[in-house]
Amino acid sequence: MSLAKKEYKRITTKTLVDMKKRGEKISMLTAYDFTMAKIVDGAGIDVILVGDSASNVMAGHETTLPITLDQMIYHAASVIRGVERSLVVVDIPFGSYQSDPKEALRSAIRIMKESGGHAVKVEGGREIKESVKRILNAGIPVMGHLGLTPQSIYKFGTYTVRAKHKEEAEILKEDALLLQKAGCFAIVLEKVPAQLAEEVAKSLTIPIIGIGAGGGVDGQVLVTHDMLGMTHEFNPRFLRRYLDMFTEMTTAFKSYSDDVKKGDFPNDDEQY
């Protein structure tokens, strides 16, 4: 059972580990720009993920693969300017860390120096172990990501639930332990069976953040544009929409257009 929420002036990687020990759930949302980050941070969200999902949400790509390191740094720097409390974690994009641990370190250093981000996130387990170690040895905090890993979508060929079968589940558990031993401060588990995710969360000392991984983990993450209902075509089971911004924004835009065309905007009070 969760304990009463403790007030933290600034969230750090240590804060997240302390929250897990206390039984306090961790809240995490995405942001890609200053305005959204300022609102998310002001609402008391613990972690802001500058996700490579910006490739989909902000740029309209089908996958996360096209977004570049320069673009991720741009988004992350914009987010950092709007944040006072939240821990900001930045995805290292596809092709910027998988092939060479030295390249992984260079990418992580660029993110930290040029954006001011607080930590980086990478997808994968044993296959990127050396890259994770190289980044951590430089003093850069790393969040892992297992289960459905969108950067590997063409390898899997589908966005369906991962690790449903025993063999894949065992590999995931081994990779989670490997990432903890390497020094990762937390792991995102995406779209895996709830029972498996809870087992991983209980077996590790670092926080497990779920997206489509049930309620037995240490925290949850959603894409902000999805949970606000700004996007409306994407309807996975794990998504709870807290607003219908698509409808509200569409109505507002139509009202504005109508007022302009009728000559009702601006009125006498809205002129100099």
Side-chain angles (χ1 to χ4, degrees):
M1 182 177 293
S2 294
L3 302 177
K5 183 178 178 181
K6 181 178 176 180
E7 292 300 321
Y8 300 100
K9 289 185 178 180
R10 188 87 200 203
I11 304 297
T12 66
T13 56
K14 182 180 182 301
T15 307
L16 301 187
V17 176
D18 290 343
M19 290 171 75
K20 173 165 180 150
K21 290 178 181 177
R22 286 169 44 82
E24 181 182 344
K25 298 286 189 177
I26 298 163
S27 60
M28 181 170 168
L29 286 172
T30 61
Y32 317 104
D33 63 83
F34 170 83
T35 303
M36 187 69 81
K38 195 171 181 66
I39 297 170
V40 173
D41 179 68
I45 299 300
D46 300 313
V47 184
I48 292 178
L49 173 65
V50 186
D52 56 6
S53 48
S55 180
N56 314 104
V57 176
M58 304 301 287
H61 293 297
E62 184 180 359
T63 71
T64 62
L65 274 61
I67 199 163
T68 66
L69 182 60
D70 285 340
Q71 290 167 337
M72 287 300 303
I73 290 170
Y74 167 80
H75 285 296
S78 301
V79 166
I80 282 290
R81 295 186 198 107
V83 169
E84 294 182 2
R85 175 185 177 275
S86 301
L87 179 76
V88 178
V89 179
V90 185
D91 271 334
I92 305 184
F94 175 75
S96 301
Y97 64 95
Q98 291 95 338
S99 63
D100 177 9
K102 291 182 180 178
E103 181 186 23
L105 177 58
R106 286 192 294 267
S107 299
I109 288 174
R110 280 200 62 200
I111 287 172
M112 300 295 282
K113 285 178 68 70
E114 297 177 36
S115 77
H118 306 141
V120 298
K121 182 169 77 65
V122 293
E123 296 182 7
R126 62 199 67 191
E127 67 276 15
I128 61 162
K129 180 176 72 171
E130 295 308 316
S131 291
V132 170
K133 286 183 175 180
R134 184 65 67 99
I135 296 169
L136 285 163
N137 284 342
I140 299 172
V142 177
M143 176 180 280
H145 185 145
L146 297 171
L148 175 64
T149 47
Q151 291 181 6
S152 303
I153 186 56
Y154 290 125
K155 171 184 174 183
F156 294 133
T158 176
Y159 284 105
T160 56
V161 176
R162 306 301 311 170
K164 289 191 292 185
H165 303 295
K166 184 176 180 180
E167 183 178 352
E168 189 180 356
E170 288 301 319
I171 292 173
L172 186 145
K173 287 190 285 187
E174 291 169 4
D175 281 345
L177 182 59
L178 178 151
L179 291 175
Q180 176 176 276
K181 288 181 176 179
C184 288
F185 70 89
I187 299 171
V188 169
L189 283 187
E190 181 170 357
K191 224 168 179 183
V192 300
Q195 184 176 348
L196 172 63
E198 183 173 3
E199 183 180 344
V200 172
K202 288 181 176 178
S203 67
L204 299 185
T205 58
I206 61 174
I208 302 299
I209 312 295
I211 177 167
V217 291
D218 305 301
Q220 300 292 332
V221 58
L222 287 174
V223 171
T224 298
H225 291 65
D226 294 340
M227 60 86 74
L228 290 177
M230 294 174 73
T231 55
H232 64 288
E233 306 93 345
F234 182 61
N235 293 293
R237 183 188 300 184
F238 63 78
L239 174 59
R240 180 183 296 181
R241 285 199 165 90
Y242 286 80
L243 286 175
D244 183 7
M245 288 291 287
F246 177 83
T247 299
E248 292 194 27
M249 292 172 73
T250 301
T251 300
F253 295 150
K254 287 180 177 178
S255 295
Y256 165 74
S257 180
D258 290 343
D259 288 348
V260 170
K261 292 181 183 300
K262 289 185 300 185
D264 185 57
F265 175 79
N267 61 29
D268 290 342
D269 293 334
E270 295 161 335
Q271 302 183 52
Y272 297 101

